[in-house]
């Protein structure tokens, strides 16, 4: 039994007091986990676009003060009542969406959209009692997507915690808890390109490059990367991208350019930008008869997708995916194993590292578009 079990823990957390303002490292009190909750000591966390999007709070209901962070790795400190699958000392990845294992979605082999624990960006409290486990002088500090990993300790619902191989290096596999798995799963679980196939990837950020990595692992022979930033191609080659297209270089729609290069279209495409025009291109660039397009990027609120129905009747398939169709608790341990078996390369996604006290630098890097993933070391 740890000495902190059942006690309030005082520790450091990076608190976002207001939208768009630098985070402030504060001493917070973290309450013990309640029923079906676990308290996790976070060792490494990384910054994902979703944190920045909700920190900027443009267009959503602002929930502040709040502790952001959802890509991370840590060790279970203590568990609440009813938790049988995890114990103190287990190595885990917190996940922004969950798997209760009991609802229709969790029981379906096809879905990972758990009714109980599906991502909820507006909720700032725990499900059990509708309260926060974080406070400063008795004033609550809100949670973010059930994970709040920008804290040395955090409390998470057991359904949002994946237990992983204790030999896995946590400073590397922390990036598998969101963006990288999202892109990888979109290709491996949903697009499912065959060996020797042709795959188009729209958007060469971390998620798109993870989708390319999936295509490389699946044995695709041509991986065509599409991005408006020509500087991305050099880096993309490391992820198996063989050809690069910048839509700005052509005076016709990029789907026509792709069709011309591939004898009528690619076998598979994966859209990772969230721009609805790119989504239409990603759908229209797949070959008739068998092509499958997969949408990953999140669009703006008022976007609409328009294509001629004949494009569908000609036996093209359009699919969408959430978190790469991975069930967090069931499937993430095997993604970690893919890395341990050297099938999946994770290091190349990690371009920067900062200490916890320098966390705002990670935000600056992401806002300037530099690099892919910045690891934040909690011990620094
Ligand atoms: Zn469920
Ligand atoms: Zn994320």
């Amino acid at each position: 039994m740890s000495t902190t079990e059942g006690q309030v823990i005082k520790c450091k957390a990076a608190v976002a007091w207001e939208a768009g303002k630098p985070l402030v490292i504060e001493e917070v009190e973290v309450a013990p986990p309640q029923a079906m909750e676990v308290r996790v000591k976070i060792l490494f966390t990384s910054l994902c676009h979703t944190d920045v999007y909700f920190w900027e709070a443009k267009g959503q209901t602002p929930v502040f003060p709040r502790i952001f962070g959802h890509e991370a790795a840590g060790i279970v400190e203590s568990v609440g009542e009813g938790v049988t699958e995890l114990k103190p000392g287990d190595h885990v990845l917190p996940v922004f969406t969950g798997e209760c294992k009991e609802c229709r979605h969790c029981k379906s082999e096809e879905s990972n959209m758990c009714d109980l624990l599906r991502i909820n960006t507006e909720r700032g409290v725990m499900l059990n009692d509708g309260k926060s486990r974080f406070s400063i002088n008795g004033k609550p500090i809100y949670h973010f997507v059930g994970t709040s990993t920008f804290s040395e300790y955090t409390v998470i619902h057991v359904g949002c915690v994946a237990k992983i191989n204790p030999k896995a290096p946590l400073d590397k596999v922390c990036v598998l808890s969101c963006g990288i798995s999202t892109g990888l799963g979109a290709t491996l679980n949903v697009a499912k390109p065959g060996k020797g196939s042709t795959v188009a990837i729209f958007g060469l950020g971390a998620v798109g490059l993870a989708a390319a990595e999936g295509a490389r692992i699946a044995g695709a022979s041509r991986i065509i990367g599409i991005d408006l930033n020509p500087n991305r191609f050099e880096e993309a080659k490391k992820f198996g991208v063989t050809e690069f297209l910048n839509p700005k270089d052509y005076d016709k729609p990029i789907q026509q350019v792709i069709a011309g290069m591939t004898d009528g279209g690619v076998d598979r495409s994966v859209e990772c930008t969230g721009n609805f025009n790119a989504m239409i291109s990603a759908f229209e660039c797949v070959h008739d008869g068998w092509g499958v397009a997969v949408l990953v990027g999140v669009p703006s609120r008022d976007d609409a997708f328009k294509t001629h129905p004949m494009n569908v009747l000609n036996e093209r398939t359009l699919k969408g995916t959430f978190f790469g169709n991975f069930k967090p608790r069931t499937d993430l341990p095997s993604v970690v194993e893919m890395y341990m078996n050297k099938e999946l390369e994770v290091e190349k996604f990690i371009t920067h590292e900062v200490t916890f006290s320098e966390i705002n630098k990670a935000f600056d890097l992401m806002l300037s578009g530099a690099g892919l993933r910045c690891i934040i070391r909690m011990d620094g």
Side-chain angles (χ1 to χ4, degrees):
M1 191 156 86
S2 71
T3 52
T4 47
E5 190 174 331
Q7 311 288 316
V8 169
I9 290 179
K10 283 189 181 182
C11 69
K12 279 187 278 175
V15 177
W17 290 100
E18 283 179 72
K21 295 276 165 63
L23 308 188
V24 183
I25 304 283
E26 305 275 7
E27 187 177 83
V28 297
E29 299 199 326
V30 185
Q34 297 190 4
M36 301 310 280
E37 295 174 357
V38 296
R39 190 161 55 184
V40 176
K41 180 178 171 59
I42 299 295
L43 296 182
F44 300 94
T45 182
S46 49
L47 183 64
C48 169
H49 279 106
T50 309
D51 295 307
V52 175
Y53 182 77
F54 285 92
W55 165 74
E56 289 183 320
K58 294 174 183 162
Q60 343 89 22
T61 322
V63 181
F64 292 94
R66 199 172 207 187
I67 297 172
F68 286 101
H70 63 284
E71 264 192 20
I75 297 177
V76 174
E77 174 270 336
S78 63
V79 304
E81 195 190 317
V83 175
T84 52
E85 283 183 38
L86 290 170
K87 57 180 190 315
D90 283 344
H91 288 212
V92 294
L93 300 182
V95 188
F96 63 94
T97 189
E99 181 184 356
C100 76
K101 297 196 174 181
E102 278 163 24
C103 71
R104 289 170 307 161
H105 288 277
C106 287
K107 286 188 170 157
S108 159
E109 291 215 341
E110 295 177 306
S111 175
N112 65 344
M113 301 193 67
C114 176
D115 275 330
L116 182 69
L117 300 167
R118 183 185 305 184
I119 186 171
N120 182 328
T121 55
E122 295 201 352
R123 187 171 59 223
V125 294
M126 297 305 285
L127 280 176
N128 201 40
D129 61 352
K131 291 191 176 139
S132 173
R133 302 287 170 267
F134 297 108
S135 60
I136 296 178
N137 300 326
K139 185 182 183 315
I141 309 293
Y142 296 108
H143 295 249
F144 177 63
V145 295
T147 51
S148 293
T149 59
F150 295 163
S151 177
E152 291 175 314
Y153 286 87
T154 187
V155 175
I156 310 172
H157 192 285
V158 67
C160 299
V161 179
K163 180 178 168 176
I164 61 162
N165 184 342
K167 294 199 184 94
L170 297 179
D171 60 336
K172 304 293 186 300
V173 298
C174 61
V175 300
L176 296 176
S177 78
C178 176
I180 310 309
S181 294
T182 294
L184 184 77
T187 306
L188 292 180
N189 298 336
V190 188
K192 298 183 182 171
K195 240 187 166 43
S197 60
T198 309
V199 180
I201 307 288
F202 287 74
L204 301 178
V207 175
L209 292 173
E213 177 76 356
R216 183 190 69 78
I217 292 169
S221 61
R222 289 177 75 186
I223 304 174
I224 303 168
I226 299 104
D227 200 291
L228 295 169
N229 180 354
N231 301 329
R232 293 247 166 106
F233 186 39
E234 234 3 82
E235 181 142 60
K237 286 179 185 167
K238 287 189 237 161
F239 300 82
V241 173
T242 55
E243 290 146 87
F244 180 79
L245 292 177
N246 183 344
K248 283 189 205 154
D249 295 343
Y250 300 90
D251 52 14
K252 58 181 174 182
I254 203 70
Q255 52 270 49
Q256 286 176 24
V257 177
I258 295 170
M261 294 163 59
T262 55
D263 194 17
V266 291
D267 302 310
R268 298 291 185 266
S269 73
V270 184
E271 202 297 315
C272 302
T273 72
N275 175 292
F276 74 98
N277 284 313
M279 294 181 184
I280 295 165
S281 299
F283 176 59
E284 294 182 352
C285 81
V286 299
H287 207 286
D288 58 7
W290 59 77
V292 178
V294 177
L295 304 188
V296 179
V298 180
S300 304
R301 202 185 328 194
D302 301 323
D303 285 344
F305 183 98
K306 189 178 170 213
T307 190
H308 196 282
M310 195 51 84
N311 292 325
V312 186
L313 299 179
N314 286 344
E315 303 180 357
R316 290 182 184 88
T317 304
L318 178 64
K319 292 184 169 190
T321 177
F322 168 68
F323 193 44
N325 274 36
F326 286 119
K327 287 182 190 281
R329 295 158 89 183
T330 304
D331 298 332
L332 269 199
S334 58
V335 179
V336 170
E337 290 313 305
M338 281 177 75
Y339 166 68
M340 297 300 280
N341 299 333
K342 299 191 163 48
E343 207 182 332
L344 165 65
E345 296 167 14
V346 166
E347 284 83 355
K348 60 194 178 188
F349 288 98
I350 300 168
T351 51
H352 296 84
E353 187 181 299
V354 297
T355 61
F356 191 33
S357 57
E358 303 170 316
I359 189 166
N360 289 302
K361 274 193 197 167
F363 280 69
D364 295 341
L365 284 165
M366 182 155 283
L367 290 168
S368 68
L372 297 171
R373 276 299 183 261
C374 178
I375 303 289
I376 299 153
R377 300 182 68 93
M378 301 307 284
D379 62 1

